[in-house]
Every structure is written in C-alpha cells, then in structure tokens.
Amino acid sequence: MSIPTVLVLPFPFQGHVNPMTTLSQKLVEHGCKVVFVNTDFNHKRVLSSMVEQQDHSLDESLMKLVSISDGLGPDDDRSNIGKLCDAMISTMPSTLEKLIEDIHLKGDNRISFIVADLNMGWALNVGCKLGIKGALFWPASAAVFGMLYNVPRLIDDGIINSDGSILTSNKTIRLSPNMPEMETTNFFWLNMADTINSTHFLNYLVHHCTPALNLTEWWLCNTAYELEPLMLTLAPKLLPIGPLLRSYDNTNPTLRSLGQFWEEDLSCMSWLDQQPHRSVTYVAFGSHTYFDQNQFNELALGLDLTNKPFLWVVRQDNKMAYPNEFQGHKGKIVGWAPQQMVLSHPAIACFISHCGWNSSTECLSNGVPFLCWPYFGDQPYNRKYICDELNVGLGLNSDENGLVSRGEIKKILDQLLSDGSIRSRSLKLKEKVTSSTTDCGQSLENFNKFVKWLKE
Ligand code: UDP
C-alpha cells in the first residue's frame, strides 16, 4: 500500500475549517499525508492563534499548512458571502491548479487525492484537469444537504423560483413522504444576511459546486446514522463519518487548537474546575453571529438574572459595551473558548447556542441540553430538529421588538434545567452518537472504508 498525499480544501469559514482540520488529523493518524489549503487571510489567523510550542510543533512531513488567495483585497469584507463567492470562483480554480503544479515541480510529495468541501466543489474540476481524483465533504447536516441537493427538483415542482425564493403557498414541504415536514422558511439560503447574498450564494453552490457530485462516488458528511437516520436513508450515497471531534491529546496543544481563527483562552478550564457539577450555562454563538447593543444588553442582564454560573464567549470582533447594571460576578467571559473541551467538562449544565452544525454535534456528543437561539443559514432548521425531533433542547423566542428578553432567557433556562427528561434523552443520545465513531460504529467503518480505498 502506498502513502497517499491528500489535498484538503475547506470553504473559508471557521465552521468548515474546523471539521476539515479534524478530518485531516484523522487521515494523518490513519497513515496519510495532508496538504491543508486555507485562504491567505485565514492562514494568517490560524498561524497567529496556534499554541505552537517548540517540543510540540506540527510535523510538516505529515500535515502541511499552505494557502492561496481568495481573490479579495486585504480590507474587503469577508462576511459578505456573495462577494466572497464571486471573488473565489473567478480566481481560485487557477491558483489552486498552480499550487498543485508548484508542489509537483518542487518534487514534494505528489498530490494523489483531493478532499474538497462541497462548497468548494469546483476544486474537483481542477483535479480532473490534472488527473487527480477527489471526494466531497459536507460539514453540515444530511438534512441541509438534502435541501441543497433537491434545489433543481424544488424548482421543477414549483416550490421555489430559480433564485431560491419561495413560490409555493404551502408553509411546509416534505423532501420525501417518510421525512418530517420542513418549513420552507427554513431553507438555509433564505436565511442569509440579505436577499442579494442569498441569491448569490445559492447560484454559486448550484452552478459551481454541486455539479461536482457527479465527479466522485465519495460524498462524505459530518453526521451519523444515529442522528439522522431518515435523511440518510433518503440520500444513501451520502456517507456519514461524524461527528468529527478532535482527539484531545492534551500533551500536544498544537494539534488540539489547530485551525482556530482566534486563540483559545484556556483560563476558562481552571475556572470550570472550581464550579459545581452541572451548574454552568455555556453561552457561545460560533464565529459569525453578531449582536446589536440592545440584544447584547438583554443577554448580559439575562445571564445575571439566572443567578447561576455562566461561561460566555464574547468574540473581540463583536464586543459591545456591557450595560451599567451588569454585574457578571457569577460568570466568566472569554474571547474564544476551547469549545469541545468546555462541553465535555462535568460542570456544564446546558448550552445557549446558535445551533451551528458543529456546535450542535459537539453538544449532542456530550449529552448537554440546548437552549436554542439560531441566527442564520441552517441554524433555524437545526433548532427545529434539536427541539422537535431529537427533543433535547428548548427554543428562545423573540418579543414584539425582535429581541430575546432577559426575562425569556431566565424563564426558558429554568424550564430546561428543571426538565429531567430532556437531560436523560440527551445522555441516551450521547451514547448512541458517540458509539458511531468508536468500535464497530457505522461512521468509523465508513471512514475506514474511505482510507482503505485511498491507500489502494
Ligand atoms: N468554537 C470554539 N470556541 C468558541 C466558539 C466556537 O472552538 O468559543 C468552535 C466550535 O467548537 C465549532 C466552531 O467553532 O467547531 C463553530 O462552528 P459552528 O458550525 O457551530 O458555527 P459557525 O461558526 O459556523 O456559525
């Protein structure tokens, strides 16, 4: 068997880089070499937040971090997803091709395979041109994959327009007769920042990314049969290999934090050690959620009102002024947490979450109940799945001004913590979900099958 060198290409968002970093680490553990390609912009952030220590540096002969431009200027707004996608598709295919040719010219290990994020599906066309095979990786849920995959059918059936806007007057649809109903307002492309962004993003995906599904038999997904059995039956080609969780080898901090865009504040771990068992509310909204001052105030005062310990992630890029009345003496605030470690800490009682798919699978894998507070993209659908299908969380509702009030936070949190059935369902689901990636679990078997194929 030869040692394959796999080029891994994530979409340039934290929620895509993280699971693909974990996937890369697993490929290395199983005897592959990886060339991990970030955009220049993210590459700099990843390097500067790495807790690299001399005796624990990254073994570059096994995993090399490289970068190419995303086509935007240094000061352009990368949260404008439409603009980002336009820039990427007009520049990245040729720069990726050049990168691979340069690697080959230098006489480094030849790239033998490409694993591209489905949101970067066009990379498989580059691979085809150079005679390199590829696989596609979907970092979100199988259900959301189902929405995207069925876009042409939804257009043909008159459910949506070709720009993704809703045409049908029905509020819900079923992707297949035995699937739960989906609210049409939960189609992920409708929940972007604005309609221009939604249309651009959907066009980019449908025209430049999903056609690549025809170029490979390997459609990998960061989910598990135990989490989404119905959806995976509907999409039998989608191979669940998740949840992809980092292996917490505390002796190697470089690997533990690899791929993070912000440096993890580890001081929260010793703070958690001092808190009683199942007492702490963990509050984090991923990498893209932005609060305005009013909502920030309600959240801060709501956390005070709960009168319980909390660990709150307030990213530097969305730091607001704390309201004057805010005491916060029961809490700990950090700029970025080692989230997977936090969620597995015995002091954690529940997670106030935006329901990004990574945060969701990390929470489900630790048996922690959710307080769902979704913002955009696939998050509203994930909230519904968590609360109504898996029954392991409760949702927070906004008031007539569109705000989640401090009173609502306290009320629903108290309700969640006093509901023993949610906790016990969460723990049962944890057992099922984690069994998938251990022993003879389905996700592990799928991953092993993929690696075996790579090596042949
Ligand atoms: N995350 C983290 N520390 C934090 C907040 C988030 O490590 O303080 C990680 C989290 O573990 C997850 C990722 O960032 O892997 C966020 O991905 P997700 O899909 O949940 O949300 P997104 O950022 O894409 O909205």
Side-chain angles (χ1 to χ4, degrees):
M1 278 195 206
S2 58
I3 297 182
T5 300
V6 184
L7 182 142
V8 176
L9 180 71
F11 190 69
F13 279 15
Q14 182 76 84
H16 294 242
V17 170
N18 272 4
M20 293 197 85
T21 304
T22 308
L23 174 61
S24 301
Q25 284 175 4
K26 291 198 188 295
L27 288 171
V28 168
E29 281 161 22
H30 284 76
C32 302
K33 293 181 177 177
V34 168
V35 175
F36 195 93
V37 187
N38 269 312
T39 58
D40 294 338
F41 185 81
N42 288 341
H43 183 66
K44 281 195 199 107
R45 301 171 76 187
V46 165
L47 291 189
S48 69
S49 64
M50 243 158 102
V51 194
E52 186 142 20
Q53 295 174 1
Q54 249 180 3
D55 44 344
H56 292 303
S57 57
L58 194 64
D59 185 347
E60 287 232 336
S61 67
L62 296 177
M63 183 154 161
K64 203 170 172 144
L65 306 183
V66 301
S67 69
I68 52 179
S69 164
D70 57 15
L72 288 175
D75 299 324
D76 282 328
D77 175 12
R78 284 166 171 79
S79 64
N80 183 329
I81 198 168
K83 206 168 149 192
L84 175 66
C85 291
D86 283 353
M88 288 199 308
I89 197 59
S90 54
T91 59
M92 283 183 95
S94 55
T95 38
L96 180 68
E97 185 178 336
K98 184 164 182 320
L99 173 83
I100 297 173
E101 282 173 346
D102 285 350
I103 290 173
H104 292 176
L105 273 177
K106 266 200 243 151
D108 288 352
N109 289 307
R110 287 185 77 80
I111 305 294
S112 42
F113 202 83
I114 295 175
V115 178
D117 196 318
L118 179 55
N119 284 12
M120 304 293 259
W122 48 262
L124 294 205
N125 293 82
V126 175
C128 273
K129 199 169 161 192
L130 301 173
I132 303 170
K133 286 188 179 163
L136 290 166
F137 174 77
W138 179 245
S141 69
V144 174
F145 173 86
M147 290 179 203
L148 178 59
Y149 186 70
N150 282 294
V151 164
R153 211 188 85 199
L154 295 173
I155 295 173
D156 287 348
D157 292 352
I159 293 167
I160 56 172
N161 284 307
S162 56
D163 64 0
S165 59
I166 298 175
L167 199 55
T168 174
S169 54
N170 295 340
K171 296 227 168 333
T172 58
I173 61 141
R174 283 180 204 274
L175 288 180
S176 112
N178 50 359
M179 279 288 295
E181 288 193 321
M182 248 177 209
E183 287 166 29
T184 48
T185 48
N186 281 345
F187 288 150
F188 70 90
W189 56 87
L190 297 175
N191 296 313
M192 308 311 287
D194 54 57
T195 19
I196 297 177
N197 258 315
S198 296
T199 309
H200 259 81
F201 187 42
L202 190 64
N203 271 336
Y204 165 81
L205 293 176
V206 171
H207 295 298
H208 301 291
C209 301
T210 52
L213 288 164
N214 296 321
L215 297 176
T216 176
E217 288 304 304
W218 293 102
W219 303 2
L220 311 173
C221 183
N222 187 16
T223 190
Y225 277 112
E226 289 72 6
L227 266 184
E228 299 191 272
L230 284 176
M231 194 59 224
L232 287 164
T233 315
L234 181 65
K237 279 191 72 179
L238 200 60
L239 217 56
I241 57 165
L244 287 166
L245 302 176
R246 284 163 197 257
S247 33
Y248 273 120
D249 177 2
N250 282 322
T251 57
N252 192 337
T254 305
L255 284 186
R256 198 206 57 237
S257 64
L258 193 64
Q260 296 281 39
F261 292 178
W262 292 271
E263 189 175 343
E264 295 170 339
D265 184 340
L266 294 174
S267 68
C268 59
M269 297 313 295
S270 46
W271 180 84
L272 281 175
D273 288 343
Q274 290 154 25
Q275 308 306 316
H277 189 66
R278 283 189 195 159
S279 66
V280 175
T281 304
Y282 174 54
V283 191
F285 300 90
S287 56
H288 276 283
T289 308
Y290 291 93
F291 283 87
D292 64 18
Q293 187 66 59
N294 287 339
Q295 188 58 83
F296 189 82
N297 291 353
E298 286 306 309
L299 173 55
L301 298 174
L303 290 173
D304 264 355
L305 202 61
T306 65
N307 200 27
K308 293 184 169 59
F310 61 85
L311 171 60
W312 181 14
V313 178
V314 181
R315 294 192 325 268
Q316 282 300 332
D317 60 328
N318 188 214
K319 204 166 179 176
M320 298 274 156
Y322 292 95
N324 288 338
E325 317 93 280
F326 178 59
Q327 294 178 336
H329 56 257
K330 288 228 168 192
K332 167 96 181 155
I333 296 174
V334 294
W336 192 248
Q339 179 162 300
Q340 292 191 34
M341 271 163 94
V342 166
L343 284 168
S344 64
H345 196 285
I348 296 296
C350 66
F351 183 12
I352 301 189
S353 171
H354 71 313
C355 306
W357 187 245
N358 293 289
S359 295
S360 302
T361 55
E362 290 158 12
C363 186
L364 291 163
S365 305
N366 284 293
V368 174
F370 289 79
L371 217 61
C372 298
W373 190 340
Y375 274 78
F376 74 106
D378 60 347
Q379 298 154 17
Y381 175 80
N382 296 344
R383 162 201 168 132
K384 190 156 170 42
Y385 196 66
I386 290 164
C387 297
D388 299 348
E389 301 296 328
L390 300 175
N391 293 307
V392 291
L394 297 176
L396 288 160
N397 294 309
S398 330
D399 62 15
E400 60 286 1
N401 303 317
L403 284 184
V404 175
S405 69
R406 64 192 87 167
E408 169 80 358
I409 295 170
K410 177 176 163 46
K411 186 179 93 186
I412 307 291
L413 185 79
D414 286 346
Q415 209 175 314
L416 183 74
L417 295 180
S418 60
D419 190 332
S421 65
I422 294 188
R423 161 68 65 180
S424 65
R425 265 195 303 276
S426 306
L427 291 172
K428 272 198 203 119
L429 190 57
K430 167 191 168 171
E431 295 310 319
K432 277 173 51 181
V433 171
T434 48
S435 72
S436 195
T437 48
T438 47
D439 304 329
C440 305
Q442 184 75 61
S443 286
L444 183 64
E445 279 193 5
N446 288 339
F447 179 75
N448 286 342
K449 198 163 83 180
F450 176 57
V451 174
K452 186 162 175 264
W453 183 84
L454 272 181
K455 290 185 174 172
E456 280 164 0

